[in-house]
Amino acid sequence: MKIYSSRVEVPDYEKWNLEDIYTDIEKWEKEVRKIEGMAEQLGKYDGAIHDGKSLYEFLKTKEELSYMLNHVHAYSMLKGDEDTRDADAQALSERVQSLGVKVGAATSFFMPFLLELEESTLKRYIAEEPGLKYFEEDLFDSFRYKAHVLGKSEEALLSQLGESFSAPASIFGMINNADIRFGEITSDNGGKIELTRGMYAKLIEEEDREKRREAYKAYYQPYLQSKNTIAATLAAAVKTNARMAGIRNYPSALEKSLFGDNVPKEVYENLIQSTKASISPMHRYTRIRKEKLQLDELRAYDLSVPLVKDVKQDIAYEEAFETMLKGLAPLGEEYISILKEFKDKRYIDVRETPGKRSGAYNLGIYGVHPYILLNHRDDLDSLFTLVHECGHGVHSTLSARHQPQITARYSIFVAEVASTVNEILLIHYLLDNEKDLEVKKHLINHFIDQFKGTFFTQVMFAEFEMKTHEIAEKGEPLNVEVFNTIYESLFREYNGDEIVFDEEVKYGWSRIPHFYRPFYVYKYATGFASAIHLAGRILKGEKETLQSYLEFLGSGSSDYPLELLKKTGVDLTTPEPINSALAQFADLVEEFAKA
């Protein structure tokens, strides 16, 4: 794997092309000024909507503004993520944040106004103005929020505080991406070098246990050094979520987060309960890991090393992309042609560089196309990450292609289905086309670890979120000790008693950015369970399932997510999809134990 010391060194074909959004910063500036003017214009509708015509004009202008705001936000975000140390890019993001607050303040009157209307009045407005048909379903869906929207002055005040409410996430982002300096490790020539995230991802899988231990300690060093700051930041985020739920008259922060998707809390609770009821295969896998590694003591830095030796695969990006195309061929020609565009038209930013945002994501931009951030390391994990994010990318593409703007943005709840179906199809392709028995065992091991990371770990995170929010809702303190106690207890419960805990284990919560998006991570697990069901049927050649799945990808938010999934044959209001996935995990562990 080539390590780049600056972004300039990366070839253009491995960097995204942001000129598809704005060809230069002047065009971005011009759009920002236009949005500011439109925000003022929207504010003038406060108290001036009296008929269908004025309601339509407001909604049409608001949608046009939203379209532009999404573009200026996307550009500033993508630019900033290229190098989180870039002060100019940070300034763009700060301007967009302020702009969002202005727009929020200008339009904050609308929901209180709408929810004060009688349904008969709204129906009359729609009858008066044909253009309102486009907004009709969205308008009536807003009535679900009647009990949770405050008065006009209170909503205006909350919108003004938007930046303050998002401060914990912003602060953690800067700590985690820009300020963190990992400890030193021993290089191949015996010298000392500073660890990077990319290096850590490689070293934690090293067969040399001392290298794993050294990387693990160096990786956690800055988190332990900043434990009180990060704990205060996370506590502020959790308490804000809990207080906002109370202010908006939700029974709990969990139910507030689930409300938008119309997901009953029983789906969340059932996920945790069903997983813990079938946790024994996970514990068995931990024991198998200890045995295969021939260790007297299993520690946290032993949990990622592959259990099948001498089959570590180096997969260059070009090869990874071609493998993806072959593995996803069951999804059809249209799907594959969309994937090819991603690479040919430079929608993907491939390489890790200093200051670049860690991890990976897809950002769909209506009216442009998706952009995908990677930190590709030319290994098997990077291949799976590519396939995962391209699943999101195709989902964004098809939803934008088949839905109007108002319903093109899909819920995060269904997003993880699209990405994980791709991963399941890929693993089956790799297993079906591999003749070397050792490599096959390695792939089964990888599938088990993928299952662990995407399902079990996310359920553990989901329970951590639920427990910490329950503490905040009781008005009890949240601090380092509380977070450590909860996390350490859950880690043992989910992974079993075979692990000897180093000091770092209980600080696992301190490095998780998803905790700043409340009750998000459970969707990885429900998405994974749904994907296992769908991918299995697609691989069996069920044309009806494939057709319903492709329609699902083009559905955006045209229905509630649980209803969209039901159309593909997956019903998450029952335990069946979760239990089915857990049964498959048990089979994989059994197969690996015999291998």
Side-chain angles (χ1 to χ4, degrees):
M1 179 185 78
K2 180 171 173 54
I3 296 175
Y4 294 92
S5 60
S6 74
R7 185 172 178 81
V8 176
E9 295 177 7
V10 181
D12 284 346
Y13 62 83
E14 290 191 342
K15 293 188 284 196
W16 53 32
N17 178 18
L18 299 188
E19 290 186 3
D20 291 351
I21 315 175
Y22 298 106
T23 53
D24 53 57
I25 193 65
E26 285 74 24
K27 288 186 171 59
W28 184 89
E29 293 277 3
K30 183 179 178 181
E31 198 116 295
V32 167
R33 289 193 295 272
K34 188 173 181 181
I35 292 168
E36 287 173 337
M38 290 177 73
E40 287 184 25
Q41 184 183 341
L42 284 174
K44 292 175 182 175
Y45 281 92
D46 185 2
I49 299 176
H50 303 298
D51 54 23
K53 183 174 181 293
S54 53
L55 177 59
Y56 174 68
E57 287 172 350
F58 170 81
L59 292 172
K60 187 169 180 292
T61 304
K62 184 170 176 284
E63 186 177 66
E64 289 170 1
L65 184 152
S66 177
Y67 180 87
M68 291 187 289
L69 186 60
N70 286 339
H71 286 203
V72 298
H73 169 262
Y75 185 84
S76 66
M77 173 182 163
L78 297 170
K79 199 72 183 164
D81 287 351
E82 291 176 357
D83 188 346
T84 59
R85 305 165 304 177
D86 185 339
D88 291 338
Q90 284 181 34
L92 296 185
S93 294
E94 287 166 7
R95 285 184 63 192
V96 173
Q97 263 197 331
S98 297
L99 190 60
V101 170
K102 286 180 185 175
V103 172
T107 57
S108 63
F109 76 90
F110 183 70
M111 278 297 278
F113 157 78
L114 179 65
L115 297 182
E116 285 175 3
L117 282 182
E118 296 293 332
E119 287 196 35
S120 58
T121 304
L122 182 56
K123 286 177 180 176
R124 175 165 58 81
Y125 286 176
I126 293 169
E128 290 172 0
E129 175 52 64
L132 285 173
K133 275 285 178 187
Y134 173 79
F135 299 101
E136 181 175 14
E137 191 171 334
D138 202 48
L139 287 167
F140 279 108
D141 184 59
S142 297
F143 279 101
R144 286 202 309 126
Y145 290 86
K146 208 171 183 88
H148 308 297
V149 173
L150 309 178
K152 188 170 76 173
S153 59
E154 289 91 342
E155 289 294 337
L157 179 61
L158 289 177
S159 68
Q160 291 284 355
L161 293 171
E163 284 183 90
S164 300
F165 294 149
S166 63
S170 298
I171 293 167
F172 179 76
M174 294 308 295
I175 294 170
N176 203 38
N177 293 307
D179 293 343
I180 282 283
R181 290 291 176 270
F182 298 107
E184 292 186 332
I185 56 167
T186 308
S187 66
D188 291 339
N189 62 14
K192 291 291 184 180
I193 57 173
E194 186 180 310
L195 182 72
T196 68
R197 292 182 198 278
M199 290 161 60
Y200 177 72
K202 286 273 191 183
L203 290 170
I204 201 64
E205 295 182 357
E206 272 284 341
E207 289 182 16
D208 185 330
R209 195 181 192 214
E210 179 53 33
K211 285 187 176 180
R212 296 200 304 270
R213 189 197 70 81
E214 186 182 39
Y216 180 78
K217 298 287 182 182
Y219 180 74
Y220 270 93
Q221 179 182 305
Y223 293 106
L224 268 67
Q225 288 172 342
S226 302
K227 60 187 179 184
N228 291 303
T229 301
I230 297 174
T233 305
L234 180 57
V238 173
K239 289 174 184 176
T240 299
N241 298 335
R243 285 170 185 161
M244 283 303 299
I247 288 168
R248 291 202 174 278
N249 301 311
Y250 289 95
S252 66
L254 171 61
E255 285 160 285
K256 177 180 180 293
S257 292
L258 300 177
F259 188 82
D261 286 329
N262 204 26
V263 172
K265 69 173 182 176
E266 287 73 23
V267 169
Y268 195 98
E269 293 167 343
N270 169 65
L271 171 67
I272 293 171
Q273 291 161 6
S274 296
T275 302
K276 291 171 83 167
S278 300
I279 202 69
S280 56
M282 183 67 223
H283 293 175
R284 186 182 180 206
Y285 176 57
T286 303
R287 291 193 296 274
I288 291 170
R289 174 168 285 278
K290 182 180 177 183
E291 291 164 10
K292 287 192 178 287
L293 291 175
Q294 298 179 336
L295 296 172
D296 294 328
E297 292 182 343
L298 186 73
R299 293 181 179 267
Y301 47 80
D302 301 318
L303 299 181
S304 298
V305 59
L307 298 181
V308 183
K309 296 182 179 179
D310 303 321
V311 292
K312 187 166 274 193
Q313 296 164 289
D314 292 320
I315 307 169
Y317 177 66
E318 295 286 334
E319 181 187 349
F321 205 94
E322 289 304 311
T323 301
M324 174 177 68
L325 297 180
K326 293 171 185 173
L328 302 185
L331 295 175
E333 291 180 10
E334 181 189 15
Y335 197 102
I336 298 301
S337 68
I338 293 170
L339 290 175
K340 289 177 179 177
E341 277 191 0
F342 289 0
K343 183 166 176 280
D344 296 341
K345 296 185 178 180
R346 293 177 53 199
Y347 298 174
I348 307 175
D349 206 76
V350 180
R351 297 295 172 187
E352 180 184 23
T353 50
K356 182 177 174 181
R357 175 170 166 166
S358 62
Y361 64 71
N362 162 78
L363 180 67
I365 309 173
Y366 191 81
V368 185
H369 55 70
Y371 280 93
I372 293 172
L373 178 137
L374 303 174
N375 282 277
H376 197 83
R377 297 184 299 272
D378 293 343
D379 57 13
L380 188 64
D381 282 338
S382 293
L383 167 60
F384 274 92
T385 299
L386 170 68
V387 167
H388 180 104
E389 297 305 336
C390 283
H392 290 311
V394 177
H395 196 178
S396 298
T397 301
L398 289 175
S399 285
R401 187 174 291 178
H402 295 287
Q403 297 295 323
Q405 183 180 341
I406 198 168
T407 53
R409 180 176 291 180
Y410 49 81
S411 162
I412 294 170
F413 188 94
V414 295
E416 296 309 326
V417 177
S419 54
T420 312
V421 161
N422 280 13
E423 293 192 64
I424 306 296
L425 293 177
L426 174 65
I427 194 70
H428 281 285
Y429 169 80
L430 294 174
L431 285 168
D432 290 345
N433 289 276
E434 184 54 63
K435 294 181 173 55
D436 187 310
L437 290 178
E438 288 301 298
V439 175
K440 274 199 168 188
K441 283 198 291 184
H442 174 67
L443 288 168
I444 294 169
N445 180 203
H446 185 278
F447 195 11
I448 290 171
D449 284 339
Q450 179 200 12
F451 211 128
K452 178 186 172 185
T454 311
F455 188 87
F456 288 99
T457 299
Q458 305 309 321
V459 177
M460 182 184 78
F461 287 168
E463 189 169 2
F464 177 84
E465 285 191 287
M466 189 169 73
K467 285 178 177 291
T468 53
H469 279 81
E470 285 172 351
I471 288 170
E473 284 160 354
K474 292 175 186 173
E476 297 173 4
L478 286 170
N479 51 41
V480 172
E481 288 73 24
V482 173
F483 290 138
N484 282 355
T485 300
I486 296 171
Y487 194 88
E488 188 173 37
S489 172
L490 289 173
F491 195 92
R492 190 174 296 285
E493 191 174 359
Y494 279 80
N495 290 278
D497 293 325
E498 292 291 337
I499 302 169
V500 176
F501 280 22
D502 288 88
E503 177 71 4
E504 289 82 0
V505 171
K506 62 189 177 188
Y507 289 96
W509 56 268
S510 66
R511 61 180 180 82
I512 309 299
H514 285 112
F515 289 160
Y516 297 85
R517 297 182 71 177
F519 303 105
Y520 170 88
V521 293
Y522 88 99
K523 299 170 188 179
Y524 285 114
T526 54
F528 193 87
S530 303
I532 283 183
H533 175 84
L534 288 164
R537 288 169 58 183
I538 290 168
L539 287 168
K540 287 177 183 175
E542 294 185 15
K543 292 183 179 178
E544 186 178 326
T545 298
L546 176 58
Q547 184 59 37
S548 68
Y549 177 64
L550 293 174
E551 288 173 1
F552 162 81
L553 294 181
S555 296
S557 57
S558 57
D559 205 341
Y560 294 121
L562 289 179
E563 298 307 312
L564 290 175
L565 280 171
K566 283 179 184 176
K567 293 171 187 175
T568 69
V570 176
D571 186 357
L572 286 167
T573 61
T574 71
E576 194 276 329
I578 306 301
N579 290 338
S580 176
L582 290 165
Q584 288 202 42
F585 179 78
D587 290 344
L588 282 169
V589 172
E590 189 66 30
E591 185 178 357
F592 186 68
K594 293 176 180 177

